[in-house]
């Protein structure tokens, strides 16, 4: 299904696979709100953490999984040879195209599709990055997207993911994050309490976000064949997971 939205040249998006039209429809309505969130200081800090870990070099081809309106893709375009921004939402990509045109970028390619099935050739990317997209997928979906990242990365290429990384568990960090979230909502008064009840109902129905712990990420990435796997915690519930596709000498 091709987007009917009008994209400024040269930002005509290629169409990939849309495995979950309901997810696409949900994000189509959240463009303005997400752009405001992405401009906030905490998300700018997440972006800078990803860029620092990724170490993008001039000439690199970078793939941004779940690009949204361009928080990460546009910053990467300042350093990379090419950035491929993939997202399920056509309005998000249209906003990204507008921002890219405003900044004079000509090295951004848009893909309207799903990060679990990338319409990209094998070993065609030097770096794959993502910022706060994976927790919208169940664990199997995260693993599919990581497997696709492994496929499209060249040997020696890097994967760097910033995401909500914790679990609803009794672990020390998990308890701290949950307490902070509850306290923040309650400080908002009645609207916060209502939001808290709604989230509890979503959790009970299995319809809440699907964050995974840093330990899960490290185990999954190693299982998928990555090496030099690691992670570290960032502010609040965020963390960074990173890994490398084995270089030719390791594969031989």
């Amino acid at each position: 299904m091709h987007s009917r939205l009008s994209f400024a040249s040269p930002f005509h998006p290629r169409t990939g696979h849309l495995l979950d039209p309901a997810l696409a429809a949900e994000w189509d309505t959240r463009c303005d709100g997400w752009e405001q969130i992405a401009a906030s200081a905490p998300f700018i800090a997440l972006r800078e953490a990803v860029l620092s870990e990724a170490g993008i070099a001039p000439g690199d081809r970078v793939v941004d999984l779940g690009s949204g309106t361009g928080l990460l893709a546009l910053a990467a375009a300042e350093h990379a040879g090419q950035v491929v921004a993939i997202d399920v939402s056509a309005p998000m990509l249209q906003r990204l195209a507008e921002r890219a045109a405003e900044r004079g970028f000509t090295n951004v390619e848009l893909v309207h599709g799903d990060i679990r099935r990338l319409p990209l050739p094998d070993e065609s990317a030097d770096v794959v990055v993502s910022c706060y997209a994976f927790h919208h997928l169940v664990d199997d979906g995260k693993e599919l997207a990581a497997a696709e990242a492994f496929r499209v990365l060249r040997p020696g290429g890097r994967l760097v993911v910033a995401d909500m990384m914790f679990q609803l568990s009794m672990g020390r960090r998990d308890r701290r994050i949950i307490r902070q979230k509850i306290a923040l909502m309650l400080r908002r008064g009645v609207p916060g309490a209502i939001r808290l009840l709604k989230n509890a109902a979503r959790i009970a129905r299995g319809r809440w976000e699907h964050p995974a712990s840093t330990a899960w990420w490290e185990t999954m990435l190693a299982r998928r064949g990555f090496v030099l796997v690691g992670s570290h915690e960032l502010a609040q519930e965020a963390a960074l997971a990173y890994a490398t596709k084995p270089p030719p000498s390791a594969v031989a």
Side-chain angles (χ1 to χ4, degrees):
M1 179 176 65
H2 289 273
S3 168
R4 295 181 181 178
L5 298 176
S6 175
F7 285 78
S9 179
F11 302 106
H12 295 288
R14 291 195 291 119
T15 301
H17 302 279
L18 289 177
L19 302 181
D20 189 348
L23 181 63
E26 176 186 351
W27 281 100
D28 285 352
T29 65
R30 297 172 64 179
C31 187
D32 291 337
W34 172 249
E35 192 167 43
Q36 291 178 0
I37 292 171
S40 65
F43 274 84
I44 297 300
L46 289 175
R47 180 192 69 192
E48 294 307 306
V50 173
L51 293 175
S52 177
E53 187 65 43
I56 298 168
D60 278 351
R61 189 173 193 232
V62 178
V63 177
D64 181 8
L65 304 180
S67 61
T69 58
L71 168 69
L72 188 51
L74 294 176
E78 296 180 358
H79 309 283
Q82 183 184 32
V83 175
V84 180
I86 179 167
D87 201 90
V88 297
S89 169
M92 292 277 187
L93 291 174
Q94 182 173 32
R95 189 66 56 84
L96 196 164
E98 293 167 358
R99 300 294 176 252
E102 289 169 1
R103 296 170 66 171
F105 290 136
T106 59
N107 61 338
V108 178
E109 178 183 355
L110 307 181
V111 177
H112 184 208
D114 196 296
I115 67 175
R116 293 166 291 185
R117 191 179 296 176
L118 301 177
L120 303 174
D122 295 353
E123 299 184 359
S124 59
D126 300 289
V127 182
V128 176
V129 293
S130 184
C131 189
Y132 260 58
F134 273 81
H135 65 275
H136 297 291
L137 303 175
V138 298
D139 289 354
D140 286 349
K142 294 184 188 68
E143 190 153 358
L144 283 173
E148 281 289 87
F150 187 92
R151 179 183 65 79
V152 303
L153 277 169
R154 297 187 177 101
R158 296 268 286 163
L159 169 67
V160 182
V161 175
D163 202 56
M164 183 186 294
M165 294 187 189
F166 75 101
Q167 292 180 316
L168 298 176
S169 78
M170 296 305 293
R172 179 178 298 177
R173 179 171 181 265
D174 294 338
R175 293 201 312 271
R176 173 174 56 80
I177 290 169
I178 294 166
R179 285 199 304 269
Q180 289 173 343
K181 286 184 171 293
I182 291 174
L184 178 62
M185 290 185 187
L186 291 179
R187 283 200 296 270
R188 295 173 180 171
V190 173
I194 293 172
R195 176 73 179 273
L196 190 62
L197 291 172
K198 287 182 177 179
N199 283 347
R202 290 174 64 197
I203 292 170
R205 296 195 304 267
R207 297 183 61 188
W208 193 58
E209 285 98 345
H210 308 281
S213 68
T214 54
W216 180 92
W217 270 94
E218 291 189 23
T219 299
M220 182 273 288
L221 291 173
R223 181 169 62 245
R224 280 293 163 184
F226 286 97
V227 297
L228 303 178
V229 174
S231 66
H232 61 258
E233 297 172 5
L234 300 173
Q236 298 179 343
E237 80 277 8
L240 205 67
Y242 47 86
T244 300
K245 185 170 181 174
S249 58
V251 174

